[in-house]
């Protein structure tokens, strides 16, 4: 059974603002591209990239399906809901959809497969909570039963909305999906392990000396 994976990717100039104390603007943009590619690669043929950024479109087109954001729709939640409606209309999405953030450096294909196994059938929502209370991953079975509410503290809002719609909520302990790269502390957590250092994001961050910058900031 295929599982369409919708991956929203922000405009690069707006990405990773909280990493400004650690990385330059160009470095933040490159890191955003690297992690987006990691997530898309993990989703493989099921990946659908939602973006308005021409560089992201150029990098992803030809390898993954790319949906351009609707210029008449404002905000991430509206863009995601519009994209879901488009994917349902063309038959890409039927009964299940995974919404996955684009800044998850540890995700692999088996990570997504493991998450999918936690879906116990129709009427279930499987969610992964980020360290700051966001929603890094959300498997909807089916999609469209409640309004999306991404933003600070979104995990609890999503869980409450899903339960109000009569859905069962499963909080996944999937550690590969819990770590996103929003803050210098997240970068430090990634680089603290050999596994994190061996990711594409880890290789890049070490190459530009992010580990040395973190150490200097803590000295």
């Amino acid at each position: 059974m295929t599982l369409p994976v919708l991956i929203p990717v922000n405009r690069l100039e707006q990405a990773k603002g909280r990493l400004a104390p650690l990385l330059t603007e160009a470095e933040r943009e490159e890191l955003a591209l690297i992690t987006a590619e990691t997530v898309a690669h993990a989703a493989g043929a099921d990946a659908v990239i939602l973006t308005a950024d021409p560089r992201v479109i150029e990098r992803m087109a030809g390898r993954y399906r790319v949906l351009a954001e609707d210029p008449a729709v404002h905000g991430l939640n509206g863009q995601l809901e519009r994209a879901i409606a488009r994917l349902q209309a063309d038959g890409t999405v039927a009964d299940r959809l995974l919404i996955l953030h684009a800044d998850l450096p540890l995700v692999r294909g088996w990570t997504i497969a493991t998450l999918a196994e936690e879906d116990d059938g129709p009427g279930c929502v499987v969610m992964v909570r980020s360290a700051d209370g966001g929603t890094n991953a959300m498997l909807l079975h089916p999609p469209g039963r409640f309004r999306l509410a991404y933003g600070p503290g979104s995990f609890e809002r999503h869980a409450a909305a899903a339960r109000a719609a009569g859905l069962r909520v499963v909080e996944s302990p999937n550690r590969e999906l819990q770590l996103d790269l929003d803050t210098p502390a997240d970068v430090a957590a990634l680089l603290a392990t050999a596994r994190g250092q061996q990711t594409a994001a880890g290789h890049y961050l070490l190459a530009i000396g992010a580990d040395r910058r973190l150490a200097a900031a803590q000295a």
Side-chain angles (χ1 to χ4, degrees):
M1 180 187 301
T2 62
L3 175 60
V5 182
L6 182 57
I7 305 166
V9 183
N10 199 3
R11 285 188 175 274
L12 294 179
E13 68 270 16
Q14 299 172 0
K16 305 291 132 203
R18 286 187 285 172
L19 287 175
L22 181 66
L23 306 178
T24 68
E25 181 178 353
E27 289 168 345
R28 297 196 303 273
E29 291 181 3
E30 185 61 24
L31 179 64
L33 273 173
I34 288 169
T35 54
E37 287 189 308
T38 294
V39 175
H41 179 74
D46 293 324
V48 180
I49 311 300
L50 175 65
T51 190
D53 191 285
R55 287 177 58 196
V56 175
I57 293 171
E58 180 182 6
R59 186 81 70 99
M60 300 291 187
R63 293 183 293 161
Y64 310 103
R65 180 173 178 185
V66 177
L67 281 183
E69 290 186 1
D70 186 335
V73 176
H74 299 285
L76 174 61
N77 294 306
Q79 289 291 349
L80 284 168
E81 289 174 350
R82 175 70 181 115
I84 292 169
R86 293 161 66 186
L87 294 172
Q88 288 174 319
D90 69 17
T92 300
V93 169
D95 59 342
R96 298 203 305 169
L97 173 70
L98 173 60
I99 302 175
L100 201 56
H101 277 352
D103 60 348
L104 308 176
L106 297 174
V107 66
R108 298 292 184 270
W110 60 263
T111 312
I112 295 173
T114 299
L115 184 75
E117 291 173 0
E118 297 182 62
D119 174 12
D120 65 10
C124 179
V125 178
V126 183
M127 299 168 53
V128 177
R129 186 196 304 258
S130 68
D132 61 358
T135 313
N136 279 354
M138 185 159 57
L139 197 168
L140 303 164
H141 190 176
R145 292 279 295 274
F146 59 91
R147 299 297 300 271
L148 300 179
Y150 284 97
S154 68
F155 184 94
E156 292 299 340
R157 290 195 300 276
H158 283 141
R163 292 188 180 105
L167 303 174
R168 302 180 304 283
V169 175
V170 175
E171 180 173 357
S172 172
N174 196 313
R175 289 186 294 176
E176 286 76 24
L177 296 173
Q178 290 173 346
L179 179 64
D180 52 21
L181 293 180
D182 281 334
T183 68
D186 297 329
V187 171
L190 180 71
L191 298 181
T193 67
R195 182 179 179 187
Q197 293 173 13
Q198 292 164 4
T199 63
H203 280 299
Y204 176 70
L205 288 163
L206 290 172
I208 62 174
D211 54 334
R212 296 189 296 274
R213 298 178 204 175
L214 285 166
Q218 295 167 357

